[in-house]
Amino acid sequence: MPNLKKLSLSNFGFDDVETITMCLNPGLESLRLDHAAMGFERKWSNSQVDALVGKLSQLSHLVSLSLSDIPITDTHARRLLPRFNNQLKCLHLCGDYGYGNPRCPLTDDGVKAIAEYCPSILTVDVDYQDKVGFSGILALVQNCPNLLEIGACGTSLGVEDVSSILRVPNK
């Protein structure tokens, strides 16, 4: 389907990464793979995430990407985000609900990568990434002047952190 611009495969179970990547058209502008499960055990290995990130980095037209509940690490974020040349406008990297969940590996460093490589981003959602906190969210607010929406439920932000972030002046 060469004209396909938007694809949602959320909540699908896949046998392997190749099955997913065969579905990805280079012209995609919007991709949702939220809660996609891998293999019989429905868990992603690091090598499977590496392979997915490698394929995603070839999708040069993406403006919206949603990978909620796929264990994207800081290293994955730093490898993937520069490929989009600051055209990404919406990014969802929500973790799996539950404190201390090993399937939620994103930290402040990964969120800082979003701020560094996607300064024109409008929406960032890192709900339930419990290793994300003040310095990552602050970097978004300080470096992304067009930011309209941040999802940060279930992160390590405290009330004082949120208060400080809300006092950051607009650029």
Side-chain angles (χ1 to χ4, degrees), residues 1-9 20-21 23-33 56 58-64 84 87:
M1 297 184 69
N3 295 324
L4 189 65
K5 299 294 181 198
K6 184 175 182 180
L7 180 63
S8 178
L9 296 173
I20 296 174
T21 60
C23 300
L24 303 181
N25 176 332
L28 281 177
E29 295 174 2
S30 177
L31 177 63
R32 292 182 60 104
L33 292 175
L56 293 176
Q58 298 170 17
L59 302 178
S60 60
H61 299 287
L62 278 180
V63 293
S64 179
F84 298 129
Q87 69 188 25

Side-chain angles (χ1 to χ4, degrees), residues 96-108:
D96 189 22
Y97 177 78
Y99 184 77
N101 191 324
R103 290 177 23 173
C104 303
L106 196 70
T107 72
D108 284 328

Side-chain angles (χ1 to χ4, degrees), residues 2 11 17 35 39 47 52 59 65 71 73 77 119-120 148 161 165:
N11 296 306
V17 175
H35 313 290
S47 64
L52 177 65
L59 302 178
L65 179 61
T73 65
S120 296
L148 299 174
D161 296 331
I165 289 167

Side-chain angles (χ1 to χ4, degrees), residues 53-75:
V53 166
K55 181 61 177 183
L56 293 176
S57 68
Q58 298 170 17
L59 302 178
S60 60
H61 299 287
L62 278 180
V63 293
S64 179
L65 179 61
S66 190
L67 301 172
S68 296
D69 198 21
I70 294 177
I72 301 293
T73 65
D74 300 341
T75 302

